[in-house]
Amino acid sequence: MDLQRNAFKAALQNRQLQIGLWSSLCSNIVAEIIAHSGFDWILLDMEHSPNEVPGILNQLQALSGGTATPIVRPAWNDPVLIKRLLDIGAPAVLIPFVQNAREAEQAVAACRYPPAGIRGITSVSRPSGYGRLPAYLKRADQETCVLVQIETSAALAELEAIASVDGVDGVFIGPADLSASLGHIGNPQHPEVQAAIQDAVRRLKAVGKPAGILAPREADARRYIEWGYEFVAVGSDLGLLVKGADDLANSFKTITSK
């Protein structure tokens, strides 16, 4: 056995576009299906989905061997929860609602072993091969990918400071919460929100930090990629299910109405 290289983190460091999918269905079967769809990364969401640690473990196991690097978004910037996610093998985490550099530093510290951070140590974690990979403790900090999420106007004002924190590998812009923060709840297409999204990627490029975003609409995803976003979620398993089910039902309604 050998410690697996974090392909997603390496790709970000090489500034290679990474296309992802959001996963909110809390299902290891769904995870196993989408693992082989060809995405570069898949986000397992705990913030806005009823996912808990045992379920995340099942989904991580189901994603093993697929094309996509799993990223887990915990419900909060909580070092205890982050520690548990890393110990079950999450190779990357997306920390929500980071407002300033201090909170970004706390997120990084939760993902780093002492003396660089505060992550607790166990010698028998899943990513260490349950103790079969003694090198894990020395290489974990290097391979773990830490992403932070910016989703308010206050956080945007601190963008450069947040992005410049040592150990932050990428910055994710949350269009939905950002639109609410800017006074346009439910309308990320508002010109003010779109201008903020475009300005954010320009500023992140200036400090040399990869930018990510969620864009369920194809036109939005292509525009954000053109603007310079480098890890983009182009849909969700939940959205695919809703659209597929609705389209199928609607295609037969003309028959049943006769």
Side-chain angles (χ1 to χ4, degrees), residues 2-21:
D2 193 14
L3 181 62
Q4 188 172 4
R5 178 172 174 262
N6 190 324
F8 175 80
K9 182 172 182 176
L12 285 192
Q13 290 172 340
N14 292 327
R15 314 313 292 259
Q16 298 171 348
L17 176 63
Q18 297 289 283
I19 300 300
L21 185 74

Side-chain angles (χ1 to χ4, degrees), residues 46-47 52-53 72-87 93-98 102-112 118-120 146-148:
M46 300 182 75
E47 184 185 12
E52 300 298 341
V53 173
V72 182
R73 180 168 72 170
W76 194 246
N77 189 0
D78 176 355
V80 175
L81 179 54
I82 292 169
K83 171 177 61 179
R84 298 189 70 195
L85 295 175
L86 297 179
D87 282 349
V93 289
L94 172 60
I95 310 302
F97 206 78
V98 171
R102 177 58 183 154
E103 292 180 5
E105 290 169 354
Q106 291 170 343
V108 172
C111 299
R112 299 286 184 264
I118 61 169
R119 180 183 173 187
V146 182
L147 309 169
V148 297

